[in-house]
Amino acid sequence: MSELPCPEPPARCRGRFTISTLLGVEEAGRPPCEAAGCEGTHLSGSTLCTRTFGYNTVDVVPAYEHYANSKGVGEARRGRPSLADLRSILKPDPGHLCVPVPELQRSDGLPSAEEGPGRVPAPEPVRFGWVKGVMIRCMLNIWGVILYLRLPWITAQAGIGGCPPQPRQGGGTMAPGSLRPKTLGCRWEWDCWWHLARWVRSVLSRAALTWLIILMSVTVTTITGLSISAISTNGKVKSGGTYFLISRSLGPELGGSIGLIFAFANAVAVAMHTVGFAETVRDLLQEHDSLMVDPTNDIRIIGVVTVTVLLGISLAGMEWEAKAQVLFFLVILVSFANYLVGTVIPATAEKQAKGFFGYRADIFAQNLVPSWRGPEGSFFSLFSIFFPSATGILAGANISGDLKDPAVAIPKGTLMAIFWTTMSYLVLSATIGACVVRDASGSLNDSVPVGSLGCEGLACSFGWNFTDCAQRQSCPYGLSNHYQSMSMVSGFGPLIMAGIFGATLSSALACLVSAPKVFQCLCKDQLYPLIGFFGKGYGKNNEPIRGYVLTYVIAVGFILIGGCSPPRAQLARSHPAALAHRRLPCPALLLQPSSMPSPPSSPTSSSAPTPSSTSAASTPLSPTPQVGPGPAPPSPGCGARAAGDSRCLCLRAGWRPSFRYYSKWAALFGAAISVVIMFLLTWWAALIALGIVVFLLGYVLYKKPDVNWGSSIQASSYNMALSYSVGLSEVDEHIKNYRPQCLVLTGPPNFRPALVDFVGTFTKNLSLMICGNVLIGPRKQKMPESRLTSDGHTRWLLKRKIKAFYTNVLAEDLRSGVQMLMQAAGLGKMRPNILALGYKRDWQVAAPQSVEDYVGILHDAFDFKYGVCLLRMKEGLNVSRAVQAHTDPGELAAEQQASTIFQSQQGKKTIDIYWIFDDGGLTLLIPYLLGRKKRWGKCKIRVFVGGQINRMDEERKAIVSLLSKFRLGFHEVHVLPDINQKPRPEHIKRFDDLVVPFRLNDGFKDEAAVSEMRHGCPWKISDEELHKHRAKSLRQVRLNEILLEHSQDAALIAITLPVGRKGGCPSSLYMAWLESLSRDLRPPVVLTRGNQENVLTFYCQ
């Protein structure tokens, strides 16, 4: 550990290592460095000389600032010393030793109040705790008009607890409320008790249906709450609510599509809640004959005025909005208490006529079993009506940026809200079911003496005869017929109406705040075009004023549209945006914004149509309000509720939530149930939702935004790749599965784009491609360059749409670096088996040692059992003179891409293969793979082989037969009988002139003398070597003549690479062969040589 001489620090800095140094400002309440000593010098811009363990060192103790992304205003970011700082020899600078370090600013990035004279401290933003910020908001958003209007009716339909209706003997169903033996379907009198016992057993064997509906809904939302709690405690949560949590967990693709839909759904929800409130007010005005214009336009006027007032509350700031929510919360609590008090107050004659008799065991027993009525009388219909009242648990998470500690507030507040609202639902269903009968006439004239003849039903025992209207199913009152049962039971009816107002307005206000905050975070991330304008924040709380205005415009638009449709349920079904609110987030593993309100009926309505004639969840916009039960709109929260469910399937070290009550299997179960529920309720809406989500998801996938949030998608991809790579190691290799996996010596890939494009063309979507770069020079000098440019080169490849990896090594020379790459590149079975490189055009003028290394690399490749693929182009491969060598990765990706011949359409040219020697088939395979690509698909492939003039037909038939067995589709085969003819004299002379500068001119001396003369210059060609390889040299010259004759107009020439004897063929002679073979050719020339092992087979196994 490096040490520095440092004078004795002041008394306040003589502290040892303490636990407070591990805490950030948020927990310890002071700068972390203060407890352990803060005096020192700045090294490398961030290193401190601190006195921590009794001696002076540049090493620092753990601190919050070392891990936080934020820094103090006006202060350079503080960090731990680098490895270079710790390992290098330090030379103390007396002018900088032990300079007092300024006090650290608060770790949350906010300036302290004492920043200097004359400076006004920035105002503190409003922050909420878990009660006011999360629990109350979630409870208000969960509670809706369903609590007041629909839950009593659901209790009457499904029963507090019971079973499906029993079949009658003559068809139809038994009335579950009647316990008389004659209704049990007895054929004979003596078996009635057996039927009764069987019926009771079926009742006891089934769960409470109303409670089952409640608990099923709550189970889904609870699993979601657990998942949200886990996500919110897996790192520091910022503003953005649901979108922020999901996008940072599941990635920008899912997060972006969900966030956009979720924000729009909340904006539409503002209109829906406001319309519910406006319809209730309209009904009150209509009852007192005080309409302003007409029923339809009154809803529009009241709705627009209401949403304008709510906008004003939101623009006033989060503090005023929170006060309004607390007020609504108190109103709902008072209304609920008013109802409970009313249940214990003795019933008046008027209330008894409407079916309320106080707590009675026989009423509870009658309402214990279901009584399905109307076309909506089924379990799933009731479930779809109630389910929205269990959702809305994200109201607190949506203002995550305004919470003091989201990691504590979101789990605690959300789960407590679910618990208390669930208890309220269970208590209400039990109490209302124990006090009110299902059918009542409301007429005081129906009172009769107890035990009167001709009176049927439970009310007869209480002195009321509702038999007539019950048999005709025309009773206007009772649980099964009257939505306002709670208002009738309560101690003071108007308080229930106040509770309905509070439920609708609080939900509308919550959605009006949630939509802009979610949308603001989405706009800042810029995943979609044309929305960045709405990302700007204002004031101390960074309020999305522009988002508020946009949400207001959307809400007003839907309020005006909604006034045109008679029932509000039809509005929800008629407009895709409303369906989006109810369905779109579902398939994207997202919770819904709130429980959609069912607009209430008039509390004083005196008429009630039959259940089958009423609308779904609304009061019709007609002068006579309807008060019947009906189906509610589709549930808004039917999606795969666990927002981070896919997260749990991919193990990653970064998944460390402090919330421990989370199970990946429970989350998966909740997600599966939610998807099933979604399709069971409204399958066509679910399909529409999936289609829109897939469209938005595809857009983000196509655009590939430049963001990296460490999502679970990345972790899942890594896990899958790792699993498959390990599994691949267990599979034995087979020729049929051979893939040309290439290590390409590109240097910086942008220097040789043609080589990159050539290899990338035949390896794309097929096999491995690694671009290798050898950095030659001192390690200390080249290491920073390696770190800086590596990511930039990778991005350059991605921008060019080349599916390849980039890697570099530091080495003293090129050959040793390539040896490292060939030995270490790849993973398991995904290792290169072909070395691809460019032709060395400057070999005649380059340093002789570089030529020696170049040829040595080819020999090394064969030693490592690699095939070799060498590309030569007339204009050359290296464009480094035209490309500035960047060190900034951003500049590398942004530079203009050079176009090459391999990126253009080749038309109806030819690909000529000169399969001179059998190398295992690699010379044939690469052109075949190239010809399968679209740009090369129209090219005709021709195969040229050597042969004898007197056996041309036989040799051609043999090669055609062999190629047909390989199934390559090569049908044009040419035999070259003149391949062994002597080249033209001028071409021979040109070759001789080519090797003259590299000849040793030893005069055929013995081997010892030649070795002594060639000492230090192994590339020199002795007279003996030149004579011994004369025939092979002339063959390369002759082949070049054949290439010029047959393939000058080809799109590509592929020819078998000649091989020189290792140690027997000097590098300069070998390069002369390659030069003579491929010179003066216009098309690209690919010299290929496999490792002499088969890469093609005609067997099936």
Side-chain angles (χ1 to χ4, degrees):
M1 186 178 294
S2 302
E3 300 181 15
L4 281 176
C6 191
E8 190 69 19
R12 76 174 184 88
C13 274
R14 292 183 182 179
R16 301 286 184 172
F17 180 86
T18 60
I19 192 63
S20 63
T21 62
L22 294 173
L23 303 177
V25 175
E26 296 175 351
E27 301 179 7
R30 57 193 176 121
C33 203
E34 188 174 307
C38 300
E39 320 304 332
T41 182
H42 287 281
L43 298 171
S44 298
S46 62
T47 311
L48 301 177
C49 167
T50 54
R51 187 177 182 84
T52 55
F53 295 95
Y55 61 91
N56 301 321
T57 174
V58 298
D59 221 342
V60 294
V61 296
Y64 176 89
E65 280 73 16
H66 301 161
Y67 298 91
N69 291 330
S70 60
K71 61 178 182 292
V73 178
E75 179 180 327
R77 180 173 175 178
R78 305 280 294 279
R80 64 181 67 85
S82 66
L83 284 173
D85 291 333
L86 296 177
R87 297 169 62 243
S88 303
I89 299 176
L90 299 177
K91 297 181 180 180
D93 185 352
H96 293 279
L97 281 178
C98 299
V99 178
V101 177
E103 292 291 331
L104 289 176
Q105 291 177 324
R106 294 166 53 168
S107 301
D108 55 5
L110 297 173
S112 63
E114 302 175 357
E115 290 197 357
R119 294 197 63 179
V120 179
E124 289 288 338
V126 179
R127 300 285 188 238
F128 304 109
W130 69 274
V131 176
K132 191 175 181 180
V134 180
M135 188 185 77
I136 291 179
R137 289 177 180 276
C138 289
M139 292 180 70
L140 288 173
N141 220 19
I142 293 172
W143 280 332
V145 291
I146 292 178
L147 172 69
Y148 294 96
L149 303 181
R150 291 313 184 96
L151 189 56
W153 173 76
I154 292 174
T155 303
Q157 285 271 355
I160 304 171
C163 62
Q166 300 295 322
R168 289 181 180 269
Q169 183 68 22
T173 57
M174 178 183 75
S178 177
L179 300 180
R180 298 175 182 271
K182 65 181 181 180
T183 64
L184 294 176
C186 306
R187 178 175 300 179
W188 305 104
E189 192 66 28
W190 55 79
D191 66 345
C192 284
W193 291 108
W194 179 82
H195 281 281
L196 178 63
R198 180 180 173 186
W199 182 84
V200 171
R201 183 179 63 182
S202 66
V203 169
L204 297 178
S205 66
R206 298 176 185 271
L209 292 191
T210 298
W211 281 22
L212 178 63
I213 290 173
I214 295 173
L215 294 178
M216 282 178 59
S217 304
V218 170
T219 298
V220 178
T221 56
T222 301
I223 292 174
T224 304
L226 296 176
S227 297
I228 289 295
S229 300
I231 298 175
S232 63
T233 59
N234 190 48
K236 190 172 182 178
V237 177
K238 299 181 181 179
S239 62
T242 305
Y243 162 72
F244 181 87
L245 295 174
I246 295 178
S247 62
R248 271 55 176 180
S249 297
L250 298 181
E253 298 84 7
L254 283 174
S257 57
I258 292 170
L260 188 60
I261 295 170
F262 189 84
F264 183 74
N266 273 276
V268 176
V270 176
M272 296 301 180
H273 292 292
T274 307
V275 167
F277 169 79
E279 287 184 350
T280 306
V281 175
R282 187 279 316 270
D283 291 339
L284 291 174
L285 294 175
Q286 190 174 16
E287 180 184 356
H288 294 87
D289 197 20
S290 302
L291 290 176
M292 292 177 287
V293 182
D294 57 65
T296 299
N297 287 311
D298 279 8
I299 289 180
R300 293 171 173 165
I301 295 172
I302 298 170
V304 171
V305 172
T306 302
V307 79
T308 303
V309 173
L310 295 179
L311 176 65
I313 296 175
S314 301
L315 294 178
M318 288 298 299
E319 190 172 2
W320 285 97
E321 188 269 346
K323 291 178 180 178
Q325 292 285 28
V326 172
L327 177 62
F328 293 140
F329 182 72
L330 294 177
V331 169
I332 293 177
L333 289 184
V334 170
S335 69
F336 196 70
N338 171 56
Y339 158 75
L340 293 177
V341 170
T343 60
V344 297
I345 296 177
T348 63
E350 182 180 356
K351 288 188 176 182
Q352 288 183 359
K354 295 180 180 180
F356 172 62
F357 297 100
Y359 288 106
R360 302 295 179 108
D362 44 2
I363 295 179
F364 182 84
Q366 184 191 48
N367 291 332
L368 191 67
V369 293
S371 176
W372 309 115
R373 299 187 182 186
E376 294 81 24
S378 66
F379 180 83
F380 277 104
S381 294
L382 297 180
F383 181 80
S384 67
I385 293 171
F386 177 79
F387 192 78
S389 64
T391 61
I393 66 173
L394 289 182
N398 284 336
I399 62 165
S400 56
D402 298 302
L403 301 175
K404 292 179 181 177
D405 189 354
V408 174
I410 292 176
K412 197 172 182 180
T414 302
L415 295 178
M416 289 299 292
I418 293 174
F419 173 77
W420 288 118
T421 52
T422 302
M423 295 302 299
S424 67
Y425 288 140
L426 296 176
V427 169
L428 177 60
S429 63
T431 54
I432 197 82
C435 297
V436 184
V437 296
R438 284 192 169 100
D439 296 296
S441 65
S443 174
L444 296 175
N445 298 327
D446 287 338
S447 61
V448 295
V450 177
S452 298
L453 296 177
C455 182
E456 296 183 2
L458 186 61
C460 297
S461 60
F462 306 133
W464 293 87
N465 184 7
F466 303 139
T467 305
D468 185 46
C469 71
Q471 290 178 346
R472 290 187 289 111
Q473 293 188 354
S474 61
C475 295
Y477 291 97
L479 284 182
S480 295
N481 308 291
H482 187 40
Y483 275 167
Q484 299 294 336
S485 296
M486 278 189 67
S487 179
M488 181 263 295
V489 170
S490 65
F492 184 61
L495 284 179
I496 299 298
M497 183 55 58
I500 295 174
F501 287 167
T504 54
L505 293 178
S506 63
S507 296
L509 184 58
C511 292
L512 184 59
V513 171
S514 297
K517 290 187 176 293
V518 172
F519 191 58
Q520 181 188 34
C521 185
L522 177 64
C523 294
K524 288 182 177 179
D525 290 337
Q526 297 182 346
L527 300 182
Y528 296 100
L530 306 178
I531 62 174
F533 173 79
F534 299 99
K536 183 176 176 58
Y538 298 87
K540 58 185 180 181
N541 271 60
N542 196 32
E543 295 290 347
I545 304 298
R546 298 174 180 176
Y548 284 137
V549 175
L550 178 62
T551 304
Y552 171 79
V553 171
I554 294 174
V556 169
F558 276 92
I559 289 173
L560 297 178
I561 294 173
C564 302
S565 178
R568 180 180 166 277
Q570 292 180 9
L571 169 68
R573 290 175 174 85
S574 300
H575 298 285
L579 291 176
H581 174 77
R582 290 163 166 77
R583 282 283 176 260
L584 285 179
C586 299
L589 307 179
L590 178 63
L591 293 143
Q592 300 309 307
S594 63
S595 59
M596 290 299 295
S598 302
S601 304
S602 173
T604 56
S605 175
S606 59
S607 62
T610 60
S612 61
S613 65
T614 56
S615 73
S618 65
T619 303
L621 303 180
S622 58
T624 306
Q626 298 179 359
V627 207
S635 157
C638 56
R641 312 294 301 189
D645 293 352
S646 64
R647 215 177 36 317
C648 62
L649 299 179
C650 48
L651 303 176
R652 53 175 174 153
W655 175 244
R656 302 185 302 274
S658 58
F659 183 81
R660 299 300 181 187
Y661 305 101
Y662 167 81
S663 169
K664 61 183 181 181
W665 302 114
L668 182 62
F669 172 76
I673 287 223
S674 300
V675 172
V676 171
I677 291 173
M678 177 175 64
F679 281 93
L680 283 177
L681 297 183
T682 315
W683 63 268
W684 55 268
L687 291 178
I688 294 175
L690 284 174
I692 298 178
V693 169
V694 168
F695 172 77
L696 295 174
L697 177 67
Y699 176 83
V700 179
L701 288 172
Y702 174 76
K703 298 299 290 186
K704 292 183 175 59
D706 188 17
V707 294
N708 183 11
W709 297 323
S711 67
S712 63
I713 301 298
Q714 295 172 331
S716 178
S717 299
Y718 176 85
N719 286 347
M720 291 176 62
L722 182 62
S723 176
Y724 285 129
S725 298
V726 173
L728 195 62
S729 300
E730 303 174 359
V731 179
D732 293 334
E733 294 181 354
H734 194 281
I735 301 175
K736 288 172 62 177
N737 294 325
Y738 174 84
R739 297 170 184 266
Q741 304 185 111
C742 298
L743 171 62
V744 191
L745 300 184
T746 59
N750 58 325
F751 282 7
R752 295 171 177 83
L755 181 61
V756 172
D757 291 339
F758 165 65
V759 180
T761 300
F762 68 81
T763 59
K764 186 175 183 180
N765 299 326
L766 176 71
S767 58
L768 175 70
M769 175 181 174
I770 300 177
C771 295
N773 183 17
V774 179
L775 300 176
I776 302 172
R779 182 187 307 173
K780 189 174 182 180
Q781 176 184 350
K782 291 295 181 179
M783 185 62 75
E785 178 185 344
S786 171
R787 289 196 298 263
L788 283 173
T789 60
S790 182
D791 290 341
H793 291 313
T794 300
R795 282 198 290 268
W796 184 89
L797 291 169
L798 292 175
K799 184 178 180 181
R800 202 171 180 86
K801 298 182 180 180
I802 299 295
K803 295 187 177 182
F805 299 97
Y806 171 81
T807 186
N808 54 37
V809 295
L810 275 66
E812 296 180 356
D813 57 74
L814 177 64
R815 185 174 181 181
S816 60
V818 175
Q819 289 173 348
M820 296 178 193
L821 286 173
M822 287 192 290
Q823 294 179 82
L827 182 68
K829 291 294 179 68
M830 297 180 62
R831 300 179 63 86
N833 50 30
I834 295 176
L835 179 68
L837 69 166
Y839 176 72
K840 189 175 180 61
R841 296 181 66 200
D842 62 346
W843 67 275
Q844 299 179 63
V845 296
Q849 186 58 46
S850 66
V851 179
E852 187 76 11
D853 290 343
Y854 181 82
V855 177
I857 289 172
L858 301 181
H859 287 297
D860 294 337
F862 294 133
D863 289 341
F864 291 123
K865 305 297 289 184
Y866 274 64
V868 173
C869 184
L870 194 150
L871 175 65
R872 179 176 185 178
M873 297 183 64
K874 186 176 182 180
E875 61 275 14
L877 296 174
N878 195 337
V879 296
S880 58
R881 294 183 180 179
V883 177
Q884 178 66 31
H886 298 297
T887 56
D888 184 3
E891 294 181 11
L892 278 174
E895 74 175 18
Q896 185 176 2
Q897 298 279 344
S899 60
T900 66
I901 187 175
F902 299 100
Q903 292 181 320
S904 59
Q905 294 287 340
Q906 299 303 313
K908 296 183 179 180
K909 298 181 182 180
T910 61
I911 298 177
D912 291 348
I913 304 174
Y914 288 83
W915 197 20
I916 306 302
F917 302 104
D918 188 357
D919 60 346
L922 187 62
T923 306
L924 296 174
L925 181 61
I926 290 179
Y928 166 75
L929 296 176
L930 202 64
R932 294 172 59 185
K933 303 302 179 180
K934 184 177 181 180
R935 293 190 180 102
W936 298 78
K938 295 182 179 179
C939 292
K940 182 172 63 173
I941 298 180
R942 302 187 300 178
V943 179
F944 296 84
V945 295
Q948 299 178 7
I949 192 169
N950 56 347
R951 298 187 57 196
M952 286 182 57
D953 292 337
E954 293 83 352
E955 292 179 352
R956 183 181 180 280
K957 290 180 181 179
I959 295 298
V960 169
S961 175
L962 179 61
L963 293 178
S964 65
K965 288 181 170 58
F966 287 148
R967 305 173 306 282
L968 296 175
F970 301 164
H971 303 296
E972 186 171 343
V973 177
H974 298 270
V975 178
L976 303 174
D978 55 349
I979 192 172
N980 292 321
Q981 290 182 3
K982 190 174 181 179
R984 297 176 185 175
E986 62 271 20
H987 293 162
I988 297 176
K989 183 179 185 304
R990 186 172 60 183
F991 173 80
D992 293 336
D993 294 340
L994 187 64
V995 298
V996 164
F998 304 97
R999 293 189 60 176
L1000 193 60
N1001 295 319
D1002 57 298
F1004 295 94
K1005 294 183 179 179
D1006 57 18
E1007 185 175 350
V1010 170
S1011 300
E1012 184 177 353
M1013 293 178 63
R1014 195 157 51 184
H1015 180 70
C1017 48
W1019 54 86
K1020 289 288 188 177
I1021 308 171
S1022 68
D1023 294 344
E1024 179 65 25
E1025 291 169 337
L1026 187 61
H1027 175 71
K1028 183 168 54 178
H1029 294 98
R1030 187 64 175 177
K1032 194 169 186 178
S1033 301
L1034 295 181
R1035 177 179 295 170
Q1036 313 310 320
V1037 178
R1038 176 57 185 159
L1039 281 174
N1040 179 254
E1041 294 176 349
I1042 295 174
L1043 295 177
L1044 290 171
E1045 179 182 353
H1046 293 89
S1047 304
Q1048 190 69 344
D1049 296 325
L1052 180 77
I1053 299 174
I1055 188 170
T1056 308
L1057 176 72
V1059 177
R1061 295 283 180 181
K1062 188 176 181 181
C1065 178
S1067 58
S1068 55
L1069 178 59
Y1070 184 75
M1071 293 302 300
W1073 290 352
L1074 301 185
E1075 179 70 23
S1076 300
L1077 176 62
S1078 58
R1079 72 185 306 165
D1080 298 334
L1081 293 172
R1082 187 166 45 245
V1085 181
V1086 180
L1087 296 100
T1088 308
R1089 170 68 72 161
N1091 61 3
Q1092 302 304 112
E1093 294 182 0
N1094 290 347
V1095 299
L1096 297 174
T1097 181
F1098 42 77
Y1099 293 108
C1100 294
Q1101 60 182 12

